[in-house]
Amino acid sequence: MTSSTVKKISVKLFVQSKKGRQAFIISVFLIIPLILLFVFTYLPFGEMAGYSFYRMKYVGSRVFVGLQNYKEVFMRNDIFGALKLSLYYMSGSLVQLVLALLLATMLSFRTRFGNLFKGILFFPYLINGIAIGFIFKFFFTRGFVFDTVLGWFGIPLDMLTYWLKTQVLNNVRW
C-alpha cells in the first residue's frame, strides 16, 4: 500500500467515526456565525477604513486624499475631542469588562470573602423589595397619595374606602 492510499483510508475512517462526525457538526455550526461575523463586522470595517482615505460628500464623487483625513483628526480640536471622547468610552467599556469577569469569577468559584461578596451583591434586591413595599403602603394609606389624587377629582375623603383594610379589594379570588 502506498502512503496516499493509507491516508485516504485513515481519512475515510476518521469521517465515519464518532469524532469525525462531531468535528463535521462543529465545523458546520461554526461556518454560519463566522460568515455573519465577516459580513456584518469585518467587511464594513474594511469598507470604512477604505473610505477614510477619500474626501467624500453625501452627494457627488469622492476624491482620494491619502492620509490628509488622519492629519485633520489631530489638527482640528472638535474632531480630536470626539476621538478623545470615543477613547474614553472605549476604556470605560474595557474596565467594565474586566470588572464583570472578576465579579463573575467571584460568583462562580470559591474565593476568599466570596460569600460576603454574594451577600453584598444580593442586598440591593432586598432593599428593592422593601422600597416597593413602602411605596405601595404610602400610596394606598388613608389620606395619602391615592386619596389625594381622587380628592382632586372632587371625591371627598370620607366617601373613600380604606384601601388596605378592605378584603374584597386586597384578596382577589378568581
Side-chain angles (χ1 to χ4, degrees), residues 70-86:
Y70 289 101
K71 188 170 28 167
E72 194 172 335
V73 166
F74 294 103
M75 299 298 274
R76 288 182 44 190
N77 286 334
D78 57 336
I79 298 175
F80 189 66
L83 178 66
K84 285 194 306 189
L85 183 66
S86 296

Side-chain angles (χ1 to χ4, degrees), residues 102-127:
L102 175 71
L103 297 177
T105 303
M106 290 180 73
L107 285 174
S108 298
F109 301 109
R110 287 190 171 266
T111 58
R112 182 191 277 184
F113 303 115
N115 288 335
L116 175 68
F117 170 71
K118 289 175 187 175
I120 291 170
L121 190 66
F122 184 68
F123 188 69
Y125 292 105
L126 297 175
I127 298 288

Side-chain angles (χ1 to χ4, degrees), residues 142 147 154-162:
R142 180 138 178 109
D147 290 347
I155 301 172
L157 182 64
D158 47 335
M159 286 192 63
L160 296 174
T161 184
Y162 286 90

